[in-house]
């Protein structure tokens, strides 16, 4: 069971972004556009955007007093009933903003958690989201508010527990239970992986890059594709035949995004392990997106975070039917020596991709036992 962090109602969201020094205009615009898409994905309509350039955020409201007044006015004009900050807010800032504006305030992390909560459909992904939400609530919400959101019997008094720990006991109990259940699922997943004989190829990349579309194009799989962020939260695996006569298992994974909440990365570790344990990564990027370089950088960093950076990889520039990037920076070519362009939607460039996969995929160990992919 996942937790609904917000009230169900028609949401008219006002987006607020504090731009701190050293952030370029295009980067700030890119994250705000992304926040817009995230808000729409979560079911809200966006009624306005407010930005402020600042040296550093203020500790009480994140933005300065003048900007706070501007936000108040904008809420009145636009009849906004939700304010979404692009920046990460402290629990104190959320509380102060809530009180001063009289409107619910959330930040990017909470919004992403909410989307994940709505998308999660398997027992595993629901548990992973629940764990991330609980950890977020424990770390971010003031003690009194935590109690209001999670009422329940405590009855866990033990030696050495502080009043703070006692107040959080129901949540801690749920965190422990969720971790325990996830560990069981994870073990089962690891056991299955150990017994597979077919090479595993993982599709990774920025959300909306076209990973699921590519999986569908490469195989007769029927993976959910949607022009939304985080359409896929559960991994799907299909068999793909390569020109060197090898069969490989190709698995779809959850998409990455900049500032992906750390708790989510940690909670989705078992799903993301598909990437860590893969024999080859297809790093799918939307080559037609004007921020494609930034997206690829986020993907590279996330792969490092989940310790998958050393897995052989191919950069697959997708959506080529919409146009190619003008030129590739040297750094990108260095990071990804194997690169190919495709259009998963139009099924173009797939034979070249299959050939490259056969070339880059390590040769199987001589002792590998022949198994059907159905055993997986
Ligand atoms: N024009 C064009 N659109 C594409 C192509 N590949 C995917 N799309 C579209 O891009 C959108 C996202 O595709 P998905 O396959 O769901 O993307 P994803 O990477 O799996 O996204 P998440 O599951 O959210 O991480 C859909 O609307 C697809 O139809 C392509 O080659 N060309
Ligand atoms: Mg997908």
């Amino acid at each position: 069971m996942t937790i609904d962090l917000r009230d169900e109602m028609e949401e008219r969201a006002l987006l607020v972004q504090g731009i701190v020094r050293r952030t370029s205009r295009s980067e700030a615009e890119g994250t705000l556009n992304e926040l817009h898409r995230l808000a729409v994905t979560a079911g809200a309509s966006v009624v306005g955007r407010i930005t402020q350039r600042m040296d550093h955020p203020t500790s009480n409201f994140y933005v300065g007093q003048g900007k706070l007044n501007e936000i108040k006015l904008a809420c009145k004009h636009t009849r906004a009933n939700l304010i979404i900050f692009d920046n990460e807010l402290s629990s104190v800032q959320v509380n102060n903003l809530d009180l001063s504006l009289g409107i619910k305030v959330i930040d990017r992390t909470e919004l992403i958690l909410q989307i994940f909560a709505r998308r999660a459909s398997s027992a595993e992904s629901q548990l992973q989201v629940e764990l991330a939400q609980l950890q977020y609530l424990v770390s971010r919400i003031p003690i009194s508010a935590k109690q209001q959101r999670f009422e329940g019997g405590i009855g866990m008094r033990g030696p050495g527990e502080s009043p703070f720990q006692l107040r959080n006991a129901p949540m801690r109990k749920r965190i422990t239970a969720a971790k325990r259940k996830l560990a069981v699922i994870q073990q089962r997943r690891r056991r299955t992986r150990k017994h597979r004989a077919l090479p595993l190829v993982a599709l990774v990349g920025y959300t909306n890059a076209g990973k699921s579309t590519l999986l569908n194009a490469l195989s007769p799989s029927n993976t959910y594709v949607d022009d939304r962020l985080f359409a896929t939260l559960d991994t799907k695996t299909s068999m793909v035949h390569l020109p060197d006569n090898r069969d490989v298992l190709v698995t779809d994974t959850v998409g990455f995004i900049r500032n992906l909440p750390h708790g989510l990365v940690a909670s989705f570790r078992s799903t993301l392990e598909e990437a860590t344990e893969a024999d080859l990564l297809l790093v799918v990027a939307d080559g037609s997106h004007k921020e494609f370089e930034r997206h690829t950088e986020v993907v590279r960093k996330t792969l490092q975070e989940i310790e998958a950076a050393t897995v052989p990889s191919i950069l697959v520039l997708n959506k080529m039917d919409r146009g190619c990037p003008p030129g590739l920076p040297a750094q990108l070519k260095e990071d990804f020596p194997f690169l190919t362009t495709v259009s998963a939607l139009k099924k173009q460039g797939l034979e070249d991709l299959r050939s490259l996969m056969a070339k880059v995929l390590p040769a199987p160990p001589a002792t590998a036992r022949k198994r059907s992919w159905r055993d997986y």
Side-chain angles (χ1 to χ4, degrees):
M1 186 201 69
T2 51
I3 307 151
D4 206 343
L5 293 172
R6 295 177 305 166
D7 301 330
E8 283 295 335
M9 57 176 175
E10 211 253 304
E11 263 134 3
R12 298 173 54 79
L14 180 72
L15 309 184
V16 180
Q17 183 189 44
I19 309 167
V20 283
R21 257 188 317 196
R22 290 203 310 269
T23 310
S24 70
R25 186 184 292 273
S26 74
E27 188 178 352
E29 204 183 289
T31 48
L32 197 58
N33 286 340
E34 199 166 79
L35 189 73
H36 190 127
R37 287 206 68 187
L38 286 167
V40 172
T41 298
S45 48
V46 175
V47 293
R49 294 172 170 208
I50 290 187
T51 57
Q52 178 175 38
R53 278 215 167 259
M54 50 174 68
D55 281 340
H56 18 245
T58 67
S59 58
N60 48 359
F61 294 110
Y62 198 95
V63 290
Q65 190 59 50
K67 200 45 84 171
L68 191 65
N69 293 337
E70 197 184 310
I71 295 173
K72 264 185 204 161
L73 260 176
C75 286
K76 224 165 139 186
H77 286 316
T78 58
R79 292 186 295 113
N81 55 14
L82 175 70
I83 294 172
I84 309 176
F85 267 74
D86 194 29
N87 316 82
E88 195 170 327
L89 299 176
S90 71
S91 55
V92 172
Q93 287 163 338
V94 171
N95 252 17
N96 290 344
L97 286 162
D98 264 350
L99 288 175
S100 167
L101 299 167
I103 289 179
K104 177 138 188 67
V105 176
I106 63 170
D107 65 6
R108 186 184 171 92
T109 302
E110 188 167 341
L111 181 62
I112 293 177
L113 284 172
Q114 190 64 42
I115 294 170
F116 268 65
R118 289 185 184 180
R119 284 266 182 286
S121 58
S122 73
E124 183 179 16
S125 56
Q126 283 177 0
L127 263 174
Q128 288 170 325
V129 174
E130 186 185 348
L131 181 60
Q133 287 181 318
L134 285 165
Q135 282 169 335
Y136 171 79
L137 288 176
V138 165
S139 68
R140 304 284 305 281
I141 297 171
I143 296 167
S144 57
K146 270 182 216 164
Q147 277 188 302
Q148 280 167 21
R149 290 194 189 200
F150 281 85
E151 280 169 2
I154 294 178
M156 283 196 11
R157 176 147 211 160
E161 283 185 295
S162 68
F164 178 82
Q165 285 172 315
L166 277 176
R167 270 189 286 246
N168 287 298
M171 267 199 276
R172 285 194 292 125
K173 218 168 152 181
R174 286 177 64 178
I175 288 176
T176 311
K179 278 186 178 166
R180 201 173 293 141
K181 285 187 208 159
L182 267 178
V184 173
I185 298 176
Q186 219 163 335
Q187 259 176 7
R188 200 181 312 140
R189 202 191 258 280
R190 282 197 187 123
R191 263 202 308 272
T192 320
R193 250 196 317 251
K194 230 162 99 183
H195 289 296
R196 77 179 154 80
L198 294 181
L200 183 66
V201 178
L203 289 160
V204 293
Y206 213 74
T207 180
N208 211 246
K211 300 177 292 299
S212 304
T213 310
L214 184 59
L215 182 62
N216 287 344
L218 284 170
S219 69
S221 134
N222 198 7
T223 302
Y224 178 59
V225 172
D226 200 350
D227 193 15
R228 288 164 173 254
L229 305 183
F230 303 118
T232 308
L233 286 195
D234 295 299
T235 55
K236 295 254 163 41
T237 305
S238 298
M239 194 176 66
V240 171
H241 192 68
L242 299 186
D244 62 356
N245 259 337
R246 273 190 287 174
D247 287 328
V248 293
L249 297 170
V250 180
T251 190
D252 196 5
T253 61
V254 56
F256 303 155
I257 196 164
R258 71 193 108 190
N259 308 329
L260 191 63
H262 189 76
L264 264 182
V265 177
S267 301
F268 271 78
R269 192 162 277 278
S270 69
T271 306
L272 293 170
E273 260 181 23
E274 295 288 336
T276 322
E277 302 281 320
D279 301 289
L280 173 67
L281 296 180
L282 297 186
V283 180
V284 185
D286 177 351
S288 70
H289 200 290
K290 64 175 193 260
E291 286 210 281
F292 119 89
E293 265 177 66
R294 250 184 220 124
H295 291 179
T296 313
E297 182 54 18
V298 170
V299 172
R300 209 181 54 77
K301 283 199 176 131
T302 313
L303 288 174
Q304 267 171 356
E305 199 180 334
I306 61 168
E307 291 160 17
T310 53
V311 180
S313 61
I314 297 173
L315 179 63
V316 183
L317 295 185
N318 187 29
K319 308 199 186 180
M320 283 303 106
D321 53 294
R322 284 193 189 159
C324 304
L328 291 177
Q331 185 60 47
L332 199 72
K333 286 188 190 152
E334 208 173 288
D335 291 338
F336 297 100
F338 299 105
L339 186 151
T340 189
T341 55
V342 299
S343 165
L345 194 69
K346 308 266 184 214
K347 301 198 174 178
Q348 288 162 354
L350 299 181
E351 283 323 302
D352 286 350
L353 172 60
R354 281 182 219 266
S355 303
L356 195 57
M357 284 165 72
K359 181 177 157 195
V360 182
L361 191 70
T367 52
R369 188 161 65 91
K370 187 81 184 148
R371 262 179 172 251
S372 157
W373 73 282
R374 287 176 209 287
D375 295 342
Y376 185 76

